[in-house]
Amino acid sequence: ENKHEEKVQDPDRGEDETRAEMGNKTWADLAGEMKMFLWNPEERTCLGRTAKSWGLILLFYFIFYMCLAGMFAFCMYVMLLTLSPYTPTYQDRVSPPGVMIRPYLNGFTIAFNVSQPSTWQPYVDSMHHFLAAYDDKVQEEKNIECVSGQYFIQGGNESEEKKACQFKRSLLQNCSGIEDPTFGYSKGQPCILLKMNRIIGYRPGAGVPVSVDCKAQKGNESDLRSVDFYPGNGTFDLMYYPYYGKITHVNYTSPLVAMHFTDVKKNYLIPIQCSLNGKGIINDVNRDRFLGRIIFTLSIGK
């Protein structure tokens, strides 16, 4: 009874004892302790540290991270000294060359209906845009005429700007877009351009021009009855090689081979394989459809 009377007479004391026994604190207590931790006016500390302590630790981390940054910059500098901006150090994964086609809009399927211009006009626009750099006037202004049939080897310092040989779109004849602005698409005889990927210092064919041929990959070979190649007999002239890189070979324009599909089976999906042929060319690796060859589908509707 006496204990009960003491609790009744001093309720605050009972609450303090209960709080101490349970180890609980009110939000006001926590806020007060947090405020004191953030700034203690008696000891003049912030987060438990004096101004001198904060200054020393910040100075330590500043020096520490400056040393790390200096070491990283030094390592990068030494590494860059071993690299040439003109020629890649390692080129073991890029030779022999891969190939690509134009137009290239929605994957490797070129499908259109001759009677519906809206289906083939995007291909025509893409061809004109791509060949703008090959306009005869542009090539005459920027590049020089070279001797056909031999490599255009340029000596001197590797940092010197190299000259580039002219490749005029008029060389593509029926696929130049000059006489026929639709590149044959309006007649159901489309032109497709083939280009080799650029490889610095590469001399394709080992002195003999690399040629191109096309065939139906699957199905009946008669589905692809006739293909004309430009320029000439569908070869990449040696005078456009070697390539010296985009830094020094500024005006270089990759040579092209135009494939004019003049007689193709209509209303039928025809998988076509166009391959490079020449010494040192690899075009039969099944796991790489772009190494020395390219496979695309041609569908021409009436």
Side-chain angles (χ1 to χ4, degrees), residues 39-51:
W39 173 247
N40 188 332
E42 295 181 358
E43 299 180 1
R44 303 187 66 80
T45 60
C46 177
L47 301 178
R49 291 182 177 274
T50 62

Side-chain angles (χ1 to χ4, degrees), residues 14-190:
E15 291 179 2
D16 292 340
E17 291 179 354
T18 303
R19 190 188 316 150
E21 291 175 358
M22 298 179 63
N24 294 330
K25 296 181 180 180
T26 64
W27 287 105
D29 294 336
L30 293 174
E33 291 180 0
M34 180 60 68
K35 182 178 180 181
M36 186 63 67
F37 176 69
L38 294 174
W39 173 247
N40 188 332
E42 295 181 358
E43 299 180 1
R44 303 187 66 80
T45 60
C46 177
L47 301 178
R49 291 182 177 274
T50 62
K52 181 180 179 180
S53 177
W54 276 114
L56 291 174
I57 196 171
L58 291 176
L59 178 63
F60 167 78
Y61 279 109
F62 176 77
I63 297 175
F64 175 72
Y65 285 112
M66 284 297 292
C67 291
L68 287 181
M71 292 176 61
F72 176 77
F74 177 75
C75 291
M76 291 294 295
Y77 174 74
V78 172
M79 184 190 70
L80 291 175
L81 289 178
T82 65
L83 302 177
S84 171
Y86 308 104
T87 305
T89 304
Y90 301 103
Q91 302 186 64
D92 58 321
R93 297 187 62 185
V94 295
S95 182
V99 293
M100 191 59 183
I101 59 170
R102 293 292 187 277
Y104 176 74
L105 296 179
N106 302 310
F108 294 96
T109 298
I110 298 178
F112 63 94
N113 293 323
V114 177
S115 60
Q116 299 177 355
S118 61
T119 61
W120 48 259
Q121 189 62 46
Y123 297 113
V124 173
D125 294 339
S126 177
M127 293 279 279
H128 279 295
H129 178 74
F130 177 73
L131 289 175
Y134 292 84
D135 285 342
D136 289 14
K137 291 184 178 180
V138 174
Q139 289 294 309
E140 291 172 358
E141 292 175 358
K142 293 184 177 182
N143 298 331
I144 64 172
E145 293 185 1
C146 300
V147 180
S148 178
Q150 64 183 37
Y151 294 121
F152 185 31
I153 300 175
Q154 304 179 60
N157 193 295
E158 64 177 354
S159 62
E160 294 179 3
E161 184 173 331
K162 302 297 189 292
K163 298 178 180 179
C165 298
Q166 296 178 6
F167 189 97
K168 301 177 180 179
R169 66 186 298 175
S170 58
L171 294 174
L172 302 177
Q173 300 178 32
N174 293 340
C175 289
S176 65
I178 298 175
E179 296 182 1
D180 180 7
T182 67
F183 298 95
Y185 284 81
S186 63
K187 303 174 184 178
Q189 299 177 339

